[in-house]
Amino acid sequence: AVIAVSKALARKAVALGAPEDAVQTVYNGVDTRVFHRGDRIAARQRLGLPPEVPIVLYVGNLKATKGCHDLIEAFPALVKRHHDARLIYVGDGASRANLEDRAASLCCAPAVRFEGAVDHAALADWFRAANVLCLPSHNEGVPNVVLEAMACGTPIVATLVGGIPEVVPTEAGILVPPHQPHELGTALVEVFERHFYPVTIAAHAATFRWDENIDRLERMLS
């Protein structure tokens, strides 16, 4: 058997020669004991963040294929509409210095924060504190940060790559083509103008259960 974490990867496995009837998709799960809805203001207080400003959150490696450069190019479009908006990068990587330089050249450096890497469980408060998680990757399987952010009731702006369209419905966020900072900026503006329902988003994310995935995997291996 061939096990893929998304239907997109399953199709690639078949294209590479795997028998179609031997390929199955088992999505990643989310630990809702850690990643669940909570009070945004309280989360911001714990993280030392302003209580009311619009916050865009990026979580992941700071490298070009994750689209972090596209996000820094897109962010000024949001600042034009929301002058107090903040962009927070959680994670480390080779692109950090370049991103810091670009933020300065775009005159938005004071609004951009680089938090560095944090413990996995600590991400829950960052997801609760944010108004939106943005992951503009150029390729993906099914990124757990998307599932975990949704489990906290946070809407998503991400790219139409890999398994992301399979797990982010319209009621949970906005998807755009990769490598398109202009469209990404438009989506960031739109996500603050649409009304999302955190309860609905979290309920959708809760359907991605590790225990069910383990049961499926066990049946495949037996």
Side-chain angles (χ1 to χ4, degrees):
V2 177
I3 299 169
V5 296
S6 70
K7 293 178 182 177
L9 286 174
R11 289 191 294 270
K12 287 186 177 182
V14 172
L16 289 170
E20 188 168 358
D21 58 357
V23 180
Q24 298 194 49
T25 300
V26 180
Y27 290 109
N28 289 335
V30 59
D31 186 351
T32 54
R33 296 169 300 178
V34 176
F35 299 98
H36 53 79
R37 293 177 56 238
D39 184 81
R40 176 176 290 159
I41 301 300
R44 291 188 176 193
Q45 287 176 340
R46 289 190 291 269
L47 296 171
L49 299 173
E52 299 295 339
V53 302
I55 292 179
V56 178
L57 177 68
Y58 169 98
V59 175
N61 291 329
L62 301 185
K63 60 180 183 179
T65 56
K66 286 289 187 179
C68 52
H69 296 281
D70 299 331
L71 177 53
I72 200 72
E73 298 295 332
F75 182 59
L78 179 64
V79 174
K80 287 180 182 178
R81 297 291 292 270
H82 300 274
H83 301 301
D84 55 348
R86 305 287 178 87
L87 170 59
I88 301 174
Y89 286 94
V90 172
D92 274 322
S95 293
R96 176 166 176 166
N98 184 269
L99 291 167
E100 290 174 335
D101 290 345
R102 188 59 180 148
S105 65
L106 290 169
C107 301
C108 63
V112 182
R113 172 172 168 176
F114 293 88
E115 181 63 23
V118 304
D119 290 339
H120 185 228
L123 289 175
D125 262 347
W126 288 101
F127 293 139
R128 295 182 193 113
N131 297 92
V132 57
L133 174 81
C134 186
L135 188 67
S137 297
H138 300 163
N139 53 75
E140 280 289 354
V142 171
N144 265 55
V145 292
V146 166
L147 300 180
E148 291 163 354
M150 290 192 297
C152 295
T154 304
I156 306 297
V157 169
T159 40
L160 287 156
V161 298
I164 292 177
E166 300 170 33
V167 301
V168 181
T170 55
E171 63 268 23
I174 302 171
L175 302 182
V176 300
H179 304 278
Q180 299 295 328
H182 176 75
E183 293 195 38
L184 187 63
T186 300
L188 289 175
V189 171
E190 183 182 344
V191 81
F192 282 95
E193 295 175 351
R194 280 176 53 181
H195 183 72
F196 289 92
Y197 295 91
V199 173
T200 301
I201 296 172
H204 166 69
T207 64
F208 296 90
R209 298 171 56 86
W210 281 121
D211 53 356
E212 291 180 4
N213 294 357
I214 291 168
D215 290 342
R216 285 192 61 199
L217 182 60
E218 187 176 30
R219 288 195 297 271
M220 293 175 201
L221 296 175
S222 61

Coordinates of all heavy atoms in Angstrom, one line a residue, residues 99-186:
L99 N 14.0 39.0 5.0 CA 12.7 39.5 5.3 C 12.8 40.8 6.1 O 12.0 41.7 5.9 CB 11.9 38.4 6.0 CG 11.5 37.2 5.2 CD1 11.0 36.1 6.1 CD2 10.4 37.6 4.2
E100 N 13.7 40.8 7.1 CA 13.9 42.0 7.9 C 14.3 43.2 7.0 O 13.8 44.3 7.2 CB 14.9 41.8 9.0 CG 14.4 40.8 10.0 CD 15.5 40.4 11.0 OE1 16.7 40.5 10.6 OE2 15.2 40.0 12.1
D101 N 15.2 43.0 6.1 CA 15.6 44.0 5.2 C 14.5 44.5 4.3 O 14.3 45.7 4.1 CB 16.8 43.5 4.3 CG 18.1 43.3 5.0 OD1 18.2 43.8 6.2 OD2 19.0 42.7 4.5
R102 N 13.7 43.6 3.8 CA 12.6 43.9 2.9 C 11.5 44.7 3.7 O 10.9 45.6 3.1 CB 12.0 42.7 2.2 CG 11.0 43.0 1.2 CD 11.5 43.8 0.1 NE 10.5 44.1 -1.0 CZ 10.5 45.2 -1.7 NH1 11.4 46.2 -1.5 NH2 9.6 45.4 -2.6
A103 N 11.2 44.3 4.9 CA 10.3 45.0 5.7 C 10.7 46.5 5.9 O 9.9 47.4 5.8 CB 10.1 44.4 7.1
A104 N 12.0 46.7 6.1 CA 12.5 48.0 6.3 C 12.4 48.8 5.0 O 12.0 50.0 5.0 CB 14.0 48.0 6.7
S105 N 12.7 48.2 3.8 CA 12.6 48.9 2.6 C 11.2 49.2 2.2 O 10.9 50.2 1.4 CB 13.3 48.1 1.4 OG 12.6 46.9 1.2
L106 N 10.2 48.4 2.7 CA 8.8 48.7 2.4 C 8.2 49.6 3.4 O 7.0 49.9 3.4 CB 8.0 47.4 2.4 CG 8.3 46.4 1.3 CD1 7.6 45.1 1.5 CD2 7.7 47.0 -0.1
C107 N 9.0 50.1 4.4 CA 8.6 51.1 5.4 C 7.6 50.5 6.3 O 6.7 51.2 6.9 CB 8.1 52.4 4.8 SG 9.3 53.2 3.8
C108 N 7.6 49.1 6.5 CA 6.6 48.5 7.4 C 7.3 47.8 8.5 O 6.7 47.0 9.3 CB 5.6 47.6 6.7 SG 6.4 46.2 5.8
A109 N 8.6 48.0 8.7 CA 9.4 47.2 9.7 C 8.8 47.3 11.1 O 8.8 46.3 11.8 CB 10.8 47.7 9.7
P110 N 8.3 48.5 11.6 CA 7.8 48.6 12.9 C 6.6 47.7 13.1 O 6.3 47.4 14.3 CB 7.4 50.1 13.1 CG 8.3 50.8 12.1 CD 8.4 49.9 10.9
A111 N 5.9 47.4 12.0 CA 4.7 46.6 12.1 C 4.9 45.1 12.0 O 4.0 44.3 12.1 CB 3.7 47.0 11.1
V112 N 6.2 44.7 11.7 CA 6.5 43.3 11.5 C 7.4 42.8 12.6 O 8.4 43.4 13.0 CB 7.3 43.1 10.1 CG1 7.6 41.6 9.9 CG2 6.5 43.7 9.0
R113 N 7.0 41.7 13.2 CA 7.7 41.1 14.3 C 8.2 39.7 14.0 O 7.4 38.9 13.4 CB 6.8 41.0 15.5 CG 7.3 40.3 16.8 CD 6.4 40.5 17.9 NE 6.6 39.6 19.0 CZ 6.0 39.6 20.2 NH1 5.1 40.5 20.4 NH2 6.3 38.7 21.2
F114 N 9.4 39.4 14.3 CA 10.0 38.1 14.1 C 10.2 37.4 15.5 O 11.1 37.8 16.3 CB 11.3 38.2 13.4 CG 11.2 38.7 12.0 CD1 11.2 40.1 11.7 CD2 11.0 37.8 10.9 CE1 11.0 40.5 10.4 CE2 10.8 38.3 9.6 CZ 10.8 39.6 9.4
E115 N 9.3 36.5 15.8 CA 9.3 35.9 17.1 C 10.3 34.7 17.3 O 10.7 34.4 18.4 CB 7.9 35.3 17.4 CG 7.7 34.7 18.7 CD 7.9 35.7 19.9 OE1 7.8 36.9 19.7 OE2 8.2 35.2 21.0
G116 N 10.8 34.1 16.1 CA 11.6 33.0 16.2 C 10.8 31.7 16.5 O 9.6 31.8 16.5
A117 N 11.5 30.6 16.7 CA 10.8 29.3 16.9 C 10.3 29.3 18.3 O 10.8 29.8 19.3 CB 11.8 28.2 16.7
V118 N 9.1 28.6 18.5 CA 8.5 28.4 19.8 C 8.1 26.9 19.9 O 8.0 26.2 18.9 CB 7.3 29.3 20.0 CG1 7.6 30.8 19.8 CG2 6.1 28.9 19.1
D119 N 7.9 26.5 21.1 CA 7.5 25.1 21.4 C 6.2 24.9 20.7 O 5.3 25.8 20.6 CB 7.4 24.8 22.9 CG 8.7 24.8 23.6 OD1 9.7 24.6 22.9 OD2 8.7 25.0 24.8
H120 N 6.0 23.6 20.3 CA 4.8 23.3 19.5 C 3.5 23.6 20.3 O 2.6 24.3 19.8 CB 4.8 21.8 19.2 CG 3.6 21.4 18.3 ND1 2.9 20.3 18.6 CD2 3.1 21.9 17.2 CE1 1.9 20.1 17.7 NE2 2.1 21.1 16.8
A121 N 3.4 23.2 21.6 CA 2.2 23.5 22.3 C 1.9 25.0 22.5 O 0.8 25.4 22.6 CB 2.3 22.8 23.7
A122 N 3.0 25.8 22.5 CA 2.9 27.2 22.7 C 2.3 27.9 21.5 O 1.8 29.1 21.6 CB 4.3 27.9 23.0
L123 N 2.2 27.2 20.4 CA 1.6 27.8 19.2 C 0.1 28.1 19.4 O -0.5 29.0 18.7 CB 1.8 26.9 18.0 CG 3.2 26.7 17.4 CD1 3.2 25.7 16.3 CD2 3.7 28.1 16.9
A124 N -0.5 27.3 20.3 CA -2.0 27.5 20.4 C -2.3 28.9 20.8 O -3.3 29.5 20.2 CB -2.5 26.5 21.5
D125 N -1.6 29.6 21.7 CA -1.9 31.0 22.0 C -1.7 31.9 20.9 O -2.4 32.9 20.7 CB -1.1 31.4 23.2 CG -1.9 31.3 24.6 OD1 -3.1 31.1 24.5 OD2 -1.3 31.4 25.6
W126 N -0.7 31.6 20.1 CA -0.4 32.5 18.9 C -1.6 32.3 17.9 O -2.0 33.3 17.3 CB 0.9 32.1 18.2 CG 2.1 32.5 19.0 CD1 2.9 31.7 19.8 CD2 2.7 33.8 19.0 NE1 3.9 32.5 20.4 CE2 3.8 33.7 19.9 CE3 2.3 35.0 18.5 CZ2 4.5 34.9 20.2 CZ3 3.1 36.1 18.7 CH2 4.2 36.0 19.6
F127 N -2.1 31.1 17.7 CA -3.3 31.0 16.8 C -4.5 31.7 17.4 O -5.2 32.3 16.6 CB -3.6 29.5 16.6 CG -2.5 28.7 15.9 CD1 -2.2 27.4 16.3 CD2 -1.9 29.2 14.8 CE1 -1.2 26.7 15.6 CE2 -0.9 28.5 14.1 CZ -0.6 27.2 14.5
R128 N -4.7 31.6 18.7 CA -5.8 32.3 19.3 C -5.7 33.8 19.2 O -6.7 34.5 19.1 CB -6.0 31.9 20.8 CG -6.3 30.4 20.9 CD -6.5 30.0 22.4 NE -6.5 28.6 22.6 CZ -5.6 27.9 23.2 NH1 -4.5 28.5 23.8 NH2 -5.7 26.6 23.3
A129 N -4.5 34.3 19.3 CA -4.2 35.7 19.3 C -4.4 36.4 17.9 O -4.8 37.5 17.8 CB -2.8 36.0 19.8
A130 N -4.2 35.6 16.9 CA -4.2 36.1 15.5 C -5.6 36.3 15.0 O -6.5 35.5 15.4 CB -3.4 35.2 14.6
N131 N -5.8 37.3 14.1 CA -7.1 37.4 13.4 C -7.1 36.4 12.2 O -8.2 36.0 11.8 CB -7.2 38.8 12.8 CG -7.4 39.8 14.0 OD1 -6.4 40.4 14.4 ND2 -8.6 40.0 14.4
V132 N -5.9 36.1 11.7 CA -5.8 35.2 10.5 C -4.4 34.6 10.5 O -3.4 35.2 10.8 CB -6.1 36.0 9.2 CG1 -5.1 37.1 9.0 CG2 -6.0 35.1 8.0
L133 N -4.4 33.3 10.1 CA -3.1 32.6 9.8 C -2.9 32.7 8.3 O -3.8 32.3 7.5 CB -3.2 31.2 10.2 CG -1.9 30.4 9.8 CD1 -0.8 30.6 10.8 CD2 -2.2 28.9 9.7
C134 N -1.7 33.1 7.9 CA -1.4 33.2 6.4 C -0.3 32.2 6.2 O 0.8 32.3 6.8 CB -1.0 34.6 6.0 SG -0.8 34.8 4.2
L135 N -0.5 31.3 5.2 CA 0.5 30.3 4.8 C 0.5 30.3 3.3 O -0.2 29.5 2.7 CB 0.3 28.9 5.4 CG 1.4 27.9 5.2 CD1 2.6 28.3 6.0 CD2 1.0 26.5 5.5
P136 N 1.3 31.1 2.6 CA 1.4 31.2 1.2 C 2.4 30.3 0.5 O 3.1 30.7 -0.4 CB 1.7 32.7 1.0 CG 2.5 33.1 2.1 CD 2.2 32.2 3.3
S137 N 2.4 29.1 0.9 CA 3.4 28.1 0.4 C 3.3 27.9 -1.1 O 2.3 28.0 -1.7 CB 3.2 26.8 1.1 OG 3.4 26.8 2.5
H138 N 4.5 27.5 -1.7 CA 4.5 27.2 -3.1 C 4.2 25.7 -3.3 O 3.8 25.4 -4.4 CB 5.9 27.6 -3.6 CG 6.2 29.0 -3.5 ND1 7.5 29.5 -3.6 CD2 5.5 30.1 -3.2 CE1 7.5 30.8 -3.4 NE2 6.3 31.2 -3.2
N139 N 4.4 24.9 -2.3 CA 4.0 23.5 -2.4 C 3.8 23.0 -1.0 O 4.4 23.5 0.0 CB 5.0 22.6 -3.1 CG 6.4 22.8 -2.6 OD1 6.7 22.3 -1.5 ND2 7.3 23.5 -3.3
E140 N 2.9 22.0 -0.8 CA 2.6 21.5 0.5 C 2.0 20.1 0.4 O 1.5 19.7 -0.7 CB 1.5 22.4 1.2 CG 2.1 23.7 1.9 CD 2.9 23.4 3.1 OE1 3.0 22.2 3.5 OE2 3.5 24.3 3.7
G141 N 2.0 19.4 1.5 CA 1.1 18.2 1.6 C -0.2 18.7 2.2 O -1.0 19.2 1.6
V142 N -0.3 18.4 3.5 CA -1.4 19.1 4.3 C -0.7 19.7 5.6 O -0.3 18.9 6.5 CB -2.5 18.1 4.8 CG1 -3.4 18.7 5.8 CG2 -3.3 17.6 3.6
P143 N -0.5 21.0 5.6 CA 0.3 21.6 6.7 C -0.5 21.5 8.0 O -1.6 22.0 8.1 CB 0.5 23.0 6.2 CG -0.5 23.2 5.2 CD -0.8 21.9 4.6
N144 N 0.1 21.0 9.0 CA -0.6 20.9 10.3 C -0.9 22.3 10.9 O -1.9 22.4 11.6 CB 0.3 20.1 11.3 CG -0.1 18.6 11.4 OD1 -0.1 18.0 10.3 ND2 -0.5 18.1 12.5
V145 N -0.1 23.3 10.6 CA -0.4 24.6 11.2 C -1.7 25.1 10.7 O -2.4 25.8 11.5 CB 0.7 25.6 10.9 CG1 2.0 25.3 11.6 CG2 0.9 25.8 9.4
V146 N -2.2 24.7 9.5 CA -3.5 25.1 9.0 C -4.6 24.4 9.9 O -5.5 25.1 10.3 CB -3.6 24.8 7.5 CG1 -5.1 24.9 7.1 CG2 -2.8 25.8 6.7
L147 N -4.4 23.1 10.1 CA -5.4 22.4 10.9 C -5.5 22.9 12.3 O -6.5 23.1 12.9 CB -5.1 20.9 10.9 CG -5.1 20.2 9.5 CD1 -4.7 18.7 9.7 CD2 -6.4 20.3 8.8
E148 N -4.3 23.2 12.9 CA -4.2 23.6 14.3 C -4.8 25.0 14.4 O -5.5 25.3 15.4 CB -2.8 23.5 14.8 CG -2.3 22.1 14.9 CD -0.8 21.9 15.0 OE1 -0.1 22.9 14.8 OE2 -0.4 20.8 15.2
A149 N -4.5 25.9 13.5 CA -5.1 27.3 13.6 C -6.6 27.2 13.5 O -7.3 27.9 14.2 CB -4.5 28.1 12.5
M150 N -7.1 26.4 12.5 CA -8.6 26.3 12.4 C -9.2 25.7 13.7 O -10.3 26.1 14.1 CB -8.9 25.4 11.2 CG -8.6 26.1 9.9 SD -9.4 25.2 8.4 CE -8.5 23.6 8.5
A151 N -8.5 24.7 14.3 CA -9.0 24.2 15.6 C -9.1 25.2 16.6 O -10.0 25.1 17.5 CB -8.1 23.1 16.0
C152 N -8.4 26.3 16.5 CA -8.5 27.4 17.5 C -9.5 28.5 17.0 O -9.6 29.5 17.6 CB -7.1 28.1 17.6 SG -5.9 27.0 18.4
G153 N -10.2 28.2 15.9 CA -11.2 29.1 15.4 C -10.7 30.2 14.5 O -11.4 31.1 14.2
T154 N -9.4 30.1 14.1 CA -8.8 31.2 13.3 C -8.9 30.9 11.8 O -8.6 29.9 11.3 CB -7.3 31.3 13.7 OG1 -7.2 31.4 15.1 CG2 -6.6 32.4 13.0
P155 N -9.4 31.9 11.1 CA -9.5 31.8 9.6 C -8.2 31.7 8.9 O -7.2 32.2 9.5 CB -10.3 33.0 9.2 CG -10.2 34.0 10.3 CD -10.0 33.2 11.5
I156 N -8.1 31.3 7.7 CA -6.9 31.0 7.0 C -6.9 31.8 5.7 O -7.9 31.9 5.0 CB -6.8 29.5 6.6 CG1 -7.0 28.6 7.8 CG2 -5.5 29.2 5.9 CD1 -6.0 28.7 8.9
V157 N -5.7 32.3 5.4 CA -5.4 32.8 4.0 C -4.2 31.9 3.6 O -3.2 32.0 4.2 CB -5.1 34.3 3.9 CG1 -4.5 34.6 2.5 CG2 -6.3 35.1 4.2
A158 N -4.4 31.2 2.5 CA -3.3 30.3 2.1 C -3.4 30.1 0.5 O -4.2 30.8 -0.1 CB -3.5 28.9 2.7
T159 N -2.6 29.2 0.0 CA -2.4 29.1 -1.4 C -3.1 27.8 -1.9 O -3.3 26.8 -1.1 CB -1.0 29.1 -1.8 OG1 -0.2 28.3 -0.9 CG2 -0.4 30.5 -1.9
L160 N -3.5 27.8 -3.2 CA -4.1 26.7 -3.8 C -3.1 25.7 -4.2 O -2.8 25.4 -5.4 CB -4.9 27.1 -5.0 CG -6.2 27.9 -4.7 CD1 -6.6 28.8 -5.8 CD2 -7.3 26.9 -4.3
V161 N -2.4 25.0 -3.3 CA -1.4 24.1 -3.6 C -1.6 22.8 -2.7 O -2.1 22.9 -1.6 CB 0.0 24.6 -3.3 CG1 0.3 25.8 -4.2 CG2 0.3 25.0 -1.9
G162 N -1.1 21.7 -3.2 CA -1.1 20.4 -2.5 C -2.5 20.1 -1.9 O -3.5 20.3 -2.6
G163 N -2.5 19.7 -0.7 CA -3.8 19.3 0.0 C -4.5 20.5 0.7 O -5.6 20.2 1.3
I164 N -4.0 21.7 0.6 CA -4.6 22.8 1.3 C -6.1 23.0 0.8 O -7.0 23.1 1.7 CB -3.8 24.1 1.1 CG1 -2.5 24.0 1.9 CG2 -4.6 25.3 1.6 CD1 -1.6 25.2 1.7
P165 N -6.4 23.0 -0.5 CA -7.8 23.1 -0.9 C -8.7 22.0 -0.4 O -9.9 22.2 -0.3 CB -7.8 23.1 -2.4 CG -6.3 23.5 -2.7 CD -5.5 22.9 -1.7
E166 N -8.1 20.9 0.0 CA -8.9 19.7 0.5 C -9.4 19.9 1.9 O -10.3 19.3 2.4 CB -8.1 18.4 0.4 CG -7.7 18.1 -1.1 CD -6.7 16.9 -1.1 OE1 -6.8 16.0 -0.2 OE2 -5.8 16.9 -2.0
V167 N -8.6 20.8 2.7 CA -8.9 20.9 4.1 C -9.4 22.3 4.5 O -9.8 22.4 5.7 CB -7.7 20.5 4.9 CG1 -7.3 19.1 4.6 CG2 -6.5 21.4 4.7
V168 N -9.3 23.3 3.6 CA -9.8 24.6 4.0 C -11.0 25.0 3.1 O -10.9 25.4 2.0 CB -8.7 25.7 3.8 CG1 -9.2 27.1 4.1 CG2 -7.4 25.3 4.6
P169 N -12.2 24.8 3.7 CA -13.4 25.2 2.9 C -13.6 26.7 2.9 O -12.9 27.4 3.7 CB -14.5 24.5 3.7 CG -14.0 24.4 5.1 CD -12.5 24.3 5.0
T170 N -14.5 27.2 2.1 CA -14.8 28.6 2.0 C -15.2 29.3 3.3 O -14.9 30.5 3.5 CB -15.8 28.9 0.9 OG1 -17.0 28.2 1.2 CG2 -15.3 28.5 -0.5
E171 N -15.9 28.5 4.2 CA -16.3 29.1 5.4 C -15.1 29.2 6.4 O -15.3 29.8 7.5 CB -17.4 28.3 6.1 CG -17.1 26.9 6.4 CD -17.4 25.9 5.3 OE1 -17.4 26.3 4.2 OE2 -17.5 24.7 5.7
A172 N -14.0 28.7 6.1 CA -12.8 28.8 7.0 C -11.7 29.7 6.5 O -10.7 29.9 7.2 CB -12.3 27.4 7.2
G173 N -11.8 30.2 5.2 CA -10.7 31.0 4.8 C -10.8 31.3 3.3 O -11.8 31.1 2.6
I174 N -9.7 31.9 2.8 CA -9.6 32.3 1.4 C -8.3 31.7 0.8 O -7.2 31.8 1.5 CB -9.5 33.9 1.3 CG1 -10.8 34.5 1.9 CG2 -9.4 34.3 -0.1 CD1 -10.7 36.0 2.1
L175 N -8.4 31.2 -0.4 CA -7.3 30.6 -1.0 C -6.9 31.3 -2.3 O -7.8 31.7 -3.0 CB -7.5 29.1 -1.3 CG -7.9 28.2 -0.1 CD1 -8.1 26.8 -0.6 CD2 -6.8 28.3 0.9
V176 N -5.6 31.5 -2.6 CA -5.2 32.2 -3.8 C -4.1 31.4 -4.5 O -3.5 30.5 -3.9 CB -4.6 33.6 -3.4 CG1 -5.7 34.5 -2.7 CG2 -3.4 33.5 -2.5
P177 N -3.8 31.8 -5.7 CA -2.7 31.1 -6.4 C -1.4 31.4 -5.7 O -1.2 32.5 -5.2 CB -2.7 31.6 -7.8 CG -4.1 32.2 -8.0 CD -4.5 32.7 -6.6
P178 N -0.4 30.5 -5.8 CA 0.9 30.8 -5.2 C 1.7 31.8 -6.1 O 1.3 32.0 -7.2 CB 1.6 29.4 -5.3 CG 1.0 28.7 -6.4 CD -0.5 29.1 -6.4
H179 N 2.7 32.3 -5.5 CA 3.6 33.3 -6.2 C 2.9 34.5 -6.6 O 3.4 35.2 -7.6 CB 4.3 32.6 -7.5 CG 5.0 31.4 -7.2 ND1 6.3 31.3 -6.8 CD2 4.6 30.1 -7.4 CE1 6.7 30.1 -6.7 NE2 5.7 29.3 -7.1
Q180 N 1.8 34.9 -6.0 CA 1.0 36.1 -6.4 C 0.8 37.0 -5.2 O -0.2 37.1 -4.6 CB -0.3 35.6 -6.9 CG -0.3 34.7 -8.2 CD 0.3 35.4 -9.4 OE1 0.1 36.7 -9.5 NE2 1.0 34.7 -10.2
P181 N 1.9 37.8 -4.9 CA 1.7 38.8 -3.7 C 0.5 39.7 -3.8 O -0.1 40.0 -2.8 CB 3.1 39.5 -3.7 CG 4.0 38.6 -4.4 CD 3.2 37.9 -5.5
H182 N 0.2 40.2 -5.1 CA -0.9 41.1 -5.2 C -2.2 40.4 -4.8 O -3.0 41.0 -4.0 CB -1.0 41.6 -6.6 CG -2.2 42.5 -6.9 ND1 -2.3 43.8 -6.4 CD2 -3.4 42.2 -7.5 CE1 -3.4 44.3 -6.7 NE2 -4.1 43.4 -7.4
E183 N -2.5 39.2 -5.3 CA -3.7 38.5 -4.9 C -3.7 38.1 -3.4 O -4.7 38.1 -2.8 CB -3.9 37.3 -5.8 CG -4.1 37.6 -7.3 CD -4.6 36.4 -8.0 OE1 -5.4 35.6 -7.5 OE2 -4.2 36.2 -9.2
L184 N -2.5 37.8 -2.9 CA -2.4 37.5 -1.5 C -2.8 38.8 -0.7 O -3.5 38.7 0.3 CB -1.0 37.1 -1.2 CG -0.7 36.6 0.2 CD1 -1.5 35.3 0.5 CD2 0.8 36.3 0.4
G185 N -2.3 39.9 -1.1 CA -2.7 41.2 -0.4 C -4.2 41.4 -0.4 O -4.8 41.8 0.6
T186 N -4.8 41.2 -1.6 CA -6.2 41.4 -1.7 C -7.0 40.4 -0.8 O -7.9 40.8 -0.1 CB -6.6 41.1 -3.2 OG1 -6.0 42.0 -4.0 CG2 -8.1 41.3 -3.3

